[in-house]
Amino acid sequence: MKERVKIIEGDITKQAVDAIVNAANTTLLGGGGVDGAIHRAAGPELLEETRQIGGCPTGEARVSRGYRLPAKWVIHTVGPVWAGGHKNEDALLANCYKNSLRAAVDTGAKTIAFPSISTGAYRFPLDRATEIAMKETKRFLESDDTVKQVIFVCFGGKVLKTYRDVLVRIFR
Ligand code: AR6
């Protein structure tokens, strides 16, 4: 189980995996942060496709092609905006991981890379978000044997350290 989870520091747009996950917004029309980086690297065809998809509610996931990215697919998910913790943020963030992993199975992706959803512009506390990411991933991997590798791509040393700490706690 532990062998199926990997943590790296880097840029998710460079990952040669079957699918990368995008921390999008409900419009799916692009934005800043990792969303902007993914749209820039994939090229304008990505926006054409996400425009056709027509949006995505918070906690759900939608799949597009990866176009100029090394990844074949982009799984767009929409994390919750942190509002203090009493607006169902934890459950919505858990749904992002659950639904993205289900979408990976449905598209036949065996390797999938995640950014730290909601912890940038959406201000979800990093420790709390990382714990949710790991717990949902663990739960999913226990029930599925099609996904071979989940890579958490950490943008910067602080995110990397948090992921390493939480990994040992959740996966042992
Ligand atoms: N690779 C991996 N991680 C990255 C990259 C990258 N190239 N660039 C940034 N990150 P954010 P959110 C990290 O703000 O909080 C957008 O405008 C970043 O350091 O991208 O879910 C959308 O359109 C942070 O750790 O996403 C939405 O409107 C993490 O990705 C809104 O932001 C998430 O930060 C979504 O906000």
Side-chain angles (χ1 to χ4, degrees):
M1 159 92 59
K2 212 170 154 190
E3 318 73 57
R4 292 160 75 198
V5 179
K6 200 169 126 187
I7 295 172
I8 62 160
E9 185 177 1
D11 178 349
I12 203 164
T13 67
K14 304 277 197 282
Q15 302 307 311
V17 287
D18 295 335
I20 63 170
V21 176
N22 182 16
N25 60 62
T26 55
T27 69
L28 298 187
L29 297 178
V34 71
D35 193 9
I38 288 172
H39 274 272
R40 276 194 299 280
E45 299 91 341
L46 178 59
L47 183 58
E48 267 170 50
E49 184 174 353
T50 57
R51 195 171 272 139
Q52 296 296 320
I53 295 171
C56 177
T58 302
E60 294 189 18
R62 300 286 185 271
V63 181
S64 75
R65 302 201 149 268
Y67 300 98
R68 298 173 207 179
L69 290 164
K72 184 164 186 207
W73 307 103
V74 180
I75 299 170
H76 306 264
T77 190
V78 182
V81 177
W82 180 256
H86 301 289
K87 290 264 163 70
N88 209 26
E89 294 99 317
D90 290 345
L92 289 167
L93 186 62
N95 286 345
C96 289
Y97 286 91
K98 206 178 305 176
N99 288 321
S100 296
L101 288 160
R102 280 189 193 144
V105 172
D106 292 346
T107 48
K110 302 204 178 319
T111 53
I112 174 171
F114 278 98
S116 177
I117 299 163
S118 278
T119 66
Y122 285 177
R123 303 179 316 273
F124 203 114
L126 181 60
D127 271 319
R128 188 160 169 159
T130 307
E131 191 143 321
I132 291 167
M134 298 275 174
K135 278 188 178 156
E136 282 312 316
T137 300
K138 183 169 184 241
R139 202 193 314 262
F140 173 83
L141 291 175
E142 280 164 356
S143 69
D144 168 272
D145 56 9
T146 66
V147 172
K148 301 295 173 216
Q149 188 139 63
V150 176
I151 302 173
F152 292 108
V153 182
C154 302
F155 203 64
K158 185 181 165 219
V159 180
L160 180 69
K161 187 184 181 308
T162 302
Y163 270 74
R164 283 190 172 146
D165 291 349
V166 176
L167 183 86
V168 294
R169 203 150 21 94
I170 305 282
F171 284 86
R172 292 186 205 279

